[in-house]
Amino acid sequence: MVQDRPIPLDEYPVHQAPLSMAHVVTGDRNAYDRCIFHVFDHQGRALLIVGLGVYPNTGVIDAYATLRVGDRLHAVRASDALTDDRMNLSVGPLRITVDTPLRRLALHCAPDPGDPDSLAYDIVWTADFPALWEPHHVQRKGGRLTLEGRRFVQAGHCAGVIRVGGQEIPVTARGWTGTRDRSWGVRPIPGEEAGRGDEYRPEGFHWLWAPVRFDDRFVMVVVQEDADGYRTLNDAVLVREGHPDTQLGWPRADITYRPGTRHPERAVVHLTDPSGKPLELGVEILASSPLAVGAGYPPADGWQHGTWQGRGWEDRQVYDLSDPAAHPMAAYGVSDHAARFTLEGRTGHGIFEHGSFGRHDPSGFADHTSVAP
């Protein structure tokens, strides 16, 4: 039996409970702590998504990177046993370094030594606005806690280089935007028996998450609705350096979907300033990346986050997204869309993350087979 001993992080006065920093307060196997970054150009030519997660009660650390260029999605995934060095945010070829907390971070991916055309990058991510808390997120099924997360979101600019397919793609501060979120708590990991929770399968789920960076302001919108439109998560906030955060009312999104799908092409998010003045956040989709393909989000039929793959597991794939029928599960997962936004004469860029599954009365979707006309 391996002895339980202090880890290096225990040297610091950061404890929140009478436990080693090797452990979390909850014994729930679904405990997690992870991050996601979006790095994309303003023309819709490239969308890079990077994530890293730690699952302390299953002893797993894993990470992924996906890059969409044209119809090709290049994916790198890695998983390993979690070690005692919690300051080391690296697994396989993927690494994140925190240079200045809440201000500057670096993203790295080493190439495959046997394939000079494989995905690699070196990018510095710099915040332009203070980090913003999102609402406390709680979900239960039949009285059982299935999700409880605390998350902050932030927007900034990026600089560096992406290499793929023998091509170097410069990442420049003026032509690219970066958004990110950090979250931790409890979130489902595949492999657990649902039990009585199967009696509480929702008829529908509707999700919108949009961090948007303008030159002088940051706007964050998050909405989660049940089948009948009942809102279980709701927030819309304007952030400006040196000003108090401003709430923007009860956001309502009019989404135009590609006919025969639930894939958004454009949208208008209706907001309200504190004086009651209506605001319209316009959305034009530039590039899309389904998180169920390559990035490990449900309902991916291959690797998913937090699952034990053995020590030193690495995997690289290239997906062709030109034929949606080749990836049927993508339509039942959330997609991240790089987008151009407009607000009161300003033009900004951000992520329009969206998923709508099953019945959603406000959108006119009757069941899982319903699509836009």
Side-chain angles (χ1 to χ4, degrees):
M1 176 179 176
V2 177
Q3 295 295 317
D4 182 16
R5 300 186 185 279
I7 67 173
L9 198 55
D10 287 321
E11 290 280 18
Y12 298 90
V14 294
H15 299 84
Q16 299 295 309
L19 295 169
S20 166
M21 291 299 291
H23 308 299
V24 289
V25 173
T26 178
D28 195 317
R29 73 179 290 271
N30 297 303
Y32 82 104
D33 197 333
R34 73 187 189 209
C35 62
I36 182 171
F37 293 81
H38 300 87
V39 177
F40 49 95
D41 77 299
H42 296 169
Q43 305 304 314
R45 294 171 295 197
L47 169 56
L48 175 70
I49 304 176
V50 175
L52 182 144
V54 164
Y55 307 86
N57 289 339
T58 59
V60 173
I61 180 173
D62 56 31
Y64 66 92
T66 62
L67 173 71
R68 179 160 189 176
V69 179
D71 286 328
R72 296 288 178 178
L73 186 76
H74 304 262
V76 181
R77 293 87 65 86
S79 179
D80 211 335
L82 182 62
T83 72
D84 287 344
D85 187 0
R86 301 302 170 83
M87 306 290 281
N88 180 11
L89 304 180
S90 66
V91 54
L94 299 162
R95 176 165 51 95
I96 299 170
T97 58
V98 180
D99 298 332
T100 305
L102 302 177
R103 177 62 183 170
R104 189 176 69 249
L105 301 95
L107 313 176
H108 306 278
C109 178
D112 181 348
D115 182 5
D117 291 339
S118 60
L119 174 62
Y121 53 79
D122 292 285
I123 295 168
V124 175
W125 192 103
T126 304
D128 289 328
F129 302 95
L132 174 70
W133 286 115
E134 294 185 28
H136 198 69
H137 195 179
V138 178
Q139 291 181 183
R140 288 184 170 86
K141 286 185 179 179
R144 180 180 180 182
L145 181 71
T146 56
L147 185 151
E148 182 174 16
R150 193 61 168 135
R151 179 165 56 206
F152 67 77
V153 64
Q154 200 167 21
H157 62 273
C158 304
V161 63
I162 300 171
R163 301 177 183 87
V164 68
Q167 177 186 9
E168 282 200 356
I169 304 173
V171 177
T172 62
R174 290 184 62 84
W176 293 64
T177 284
T179 63
R180 72 175 184 122
D181 80 47
R182 278 280 289 116
S183 69
W184 55 91
V186 171
R187 186 166 179 162
I189 299 173
E192 186 173 48
E193 174 61 43
R196 185 168 173 251
D198 275 337
E199 297 181 0
Y200 296 88
R201 291 186 178 275
E203 290 185 68
F205 172 83
H206 191 82
W207 171 261
L208 169 62
W209 181 84
V212 186
R213 169 182 170 258
F214 296 91
D215 286 342
D216 65 342
R217 62 197 58 204
F218 169 57
V219 173
M220 180 64 202
V221 177
V222 58
V223 172
Q224 181 176 315
E225 292 182 344
D226 293 337
D228 59 1
Y230 184 86
R231 202 161 282 195
T232 57
L233 197 65
N234 179 87
D235 207 23
V237 179
L238 169 68
V239 176
R240 291 184 293 166
E241 191 77 57
H243 294 78
D245 295 346
T246 303
Q247 294 178 313
L248 298 179
W250 186 268
R252 181 177 58 82
D254 290 330
I255 302 174
T256 300
Y257 295 98
R258 182 182 301 159
T261 75
R262 294 197 197 184
H263 180 93
E265 293 185 328
R266 60 187 180 276
V268 176
V269 182
H270 300 277
L271 307 169
T272 308
D273 77 6
S275 71
K277 174 187 173 183
L279 302 173
E280 289 190 352
L281 182 66
V283 186
E284 176 192 356
I285 303 301
L286 301 175
S288 304
S289 188
L291 295 180
V293 180
Y297 285 80
D301 54 7
W303 166 77
Q304 289 194 30
H305 303 155
T307 55
W308 176 242
Q309 304 296 316
R311 291 180 179 269
W313 178 80
E314 296 181 19
D315 179 67
R316 292 177 183 258
Q317 301 285 340
V318 180
Y319 301 91
D320 183 357
L321 298 182
S322 62
D323 180 10
H327 308 286
M329 300 308 293
Y332 298 96
V334 169
S335 289
D336 282 351
H337 309 276
R340 181 179 296 116
F341 292 80
T342 56
L343 180 68
E344 294 191 304
R346 297 174 176 84
T347 299
H349 297 85
I351 292 294
F352 189 80
E353 182 176 277
H354 181 53
S356 184
F357 321 113
R359 178 180 138 223
H360 187 239
D361 295 345
S363 299
F365 298 133
D367 53 33
H368 281 86
T369 66
S370 298
V371 292

